[in-house]
Amino acid sequence: MKRGSIYLRLLGVMLFLTISTPVVAFLMTAYTISVTVQGDVWNFFPKQEWPTPEAQVLGERLRWNALWAALISAGLASMVALVLARGIAQPLVQVGQAARKITDGNLSARAPASPQMLGQEAAELVQHFNEMAEGLEKLEAGRKRMMADIAHELRTPLAVLQARLDGLEDGMLTFDQQEARKLSLQVGMLNRLVEDLRLLTLANTGQLPVQQEAVNLKVLFEDVISSFAIRAEQNQLTLTLQVPAEDVTLTGDADRLAQVLSNLLENSLRHARSQIEVQVFSSGTFSVEDDGQGVPEQELSRIFELYYRTDESRSREKGGSGLGLPLVQAFLQAHGGHATAEKGQWGGLKVTCQIRVN
């Protein structure tokens, strides 16, 4: 016997007892009264003579009518209880069926909407289940898309390495310092991608190591900005840093915070048209803004999600594995902060990061 049918029967029995008990109790009381007047229930009540023939007929009718009414009421109660039990249990059964389909790999399965007559609780159960199923479907679609993207990112440097190594083997290329630098560049791309995946895995499992030390955010960011100055100049971009006069000190991991800014700058370098601005505030909040094409309004809240990639701002053609912004959010959350995205004053993307300060 299926578990769902057991629950359905138990629910039906409970409803039957709830509905039929008051009716049967009332009718059996009438029957008891009639028996009390006439007697003869296993000789418990002494038999009384009817005062008149009319009273005897009335008593007999009362007793039989009570019996028939009790039987009819019990039958009606059973039917009503069965209908109600099926109606109440239907959303649970449908949710169970949809859950089994999802377990079997059909992530598009949904439970039908529950009728309003069954109450708000049943409707909310179905709604929450369908929202969960939709989230799982989107997550799985994003995972597959990201796996394809990662395979693409891995394939590019591997293909370049293979081609150049084949050229060296065939004697078409000469192994010199310049060639070694090109090979090292492709290996570095592979190392960064693998390291990003490793860090994201650690962050998702709550095992990301974070050092606790005093960090001067102002000095740290000045060092990071200076390392990007040459690349910004090569791309004909103006890179500016605005910091408060006083030091901004916090407890955290300097390497992780430097990587947060580096990932945001890498993203801006790929999309900015002419300028990038970094601002640091005394509260520990800092922002990175560019004048690029920006991100559609409806996608701003999702750019930090793992496995999510917008069509324009994070396309393959502009480079990047799509892991930089999820890493930014993961590193900030490890420091008790978070990142938000909005449209900047120049129409591009502005990312604001908040973190606790001593």
Side-chain angles (χ1 to χ4, degrees), residues 94-116:
Q94 291 173 340
V95 168
Q97 293 173 347
R100 283 192 292 271
K101 292 179 181 179
I102 292 176
T103 302
D104 295 336
N106 182 13
L107 297 181
S108 62
R110 300 291 186 271
S114 175
Q116 293 296 328

Side-chain angles (χ1 to χ4, degrees), residues 23 40 61 96 99 125 132 180 202 219 225 231 237 294 340:
V23 178
D40 196 22
R61 287 180 179 178
L125 171 65
M132 179 197 69
L202 292 175
V219 175
I225 291 293
R231 291 179 57 190
L237 298 174
T340 57

Side-chain angles (χ1 to χ4, degrees), residues 149-291:
D149 291 343
I150 291 174
H152 173 83
E153 299 296 336
L154 289 171
R155 189 184 301 114
T156 300
L158 287 175
V160 174
L161 282 173
Q162 185 65 51
R164 305 199 77 84
L165 289 174
D166 290 342
L168 290 172
E169 185 178 1
D170 296 338
M172 299 177 61
L173 296 175
T174 302
F175 186 76
D176 52 17
Q177 186 175 4
Q178 183 179 3
E179 186 63 30
R181 189 181 305 111
K182 292 179 180 178
L183 295 175
S184 178
L185 177 63
Q186 301 302 321
V187 174
M189 292 175 60
L190 289 173
N191 284 334
R192 284 194 297 272
L193 180 59
V194 172
E195 179 64 11
D196 286 349
L197 290 172
R198 185 186 72 86
L199 292 175
L200 272 176
T201 301
L202 292 175
N204 290 335
T205 57
Q207 300 177 359
L208 180 67
V210 177
Q211 301 294 328
Q212 297 297 326
E213 57 184 355
V215 179
N216 189 327
L217 206 60
K218 177 180 175 182
V219 175
L220 177 66
F221 279 14
E222 287 175 346
D223 293 339
V224 175
I225 291 293
S226 64
S227 67
F228 278 85
I230 297 178
R231 291 179 57 190
E233 184 177 354
Q234 291 173 344
N235 293 334
Q236 298 181 346
L237 298 174
T238 302
L239 177 59
T240 58
L241 172 65
Q242 297 184 12
V243 295
E246 68 277 6
D247 290 337
V248 181
T249 305
L250 53 84
T251 300
D253 191 317
D255 292 337
R256 299 286 182 247
L257 295 175
Q259 190 169 359
V260 167
L261 181 58
S262 297
N263 287 358
L264 292 175
L265 289 175
E266 289 282 358
N267 187 73
S268 293
L269 283 173
R270 288 193 296 269
H271 305 108
R273 294 187 176 98
S274 62
Q275 55 186 331
I276 303 172
E277 183 181 73
V278 180
Q279 286 185 296
V280 181
F281 303 95
S282 302
S283 61
T285 300
F286 60 92
S287 65
V288 178
E289 181 179 357
D290 60 62
D291 62 348

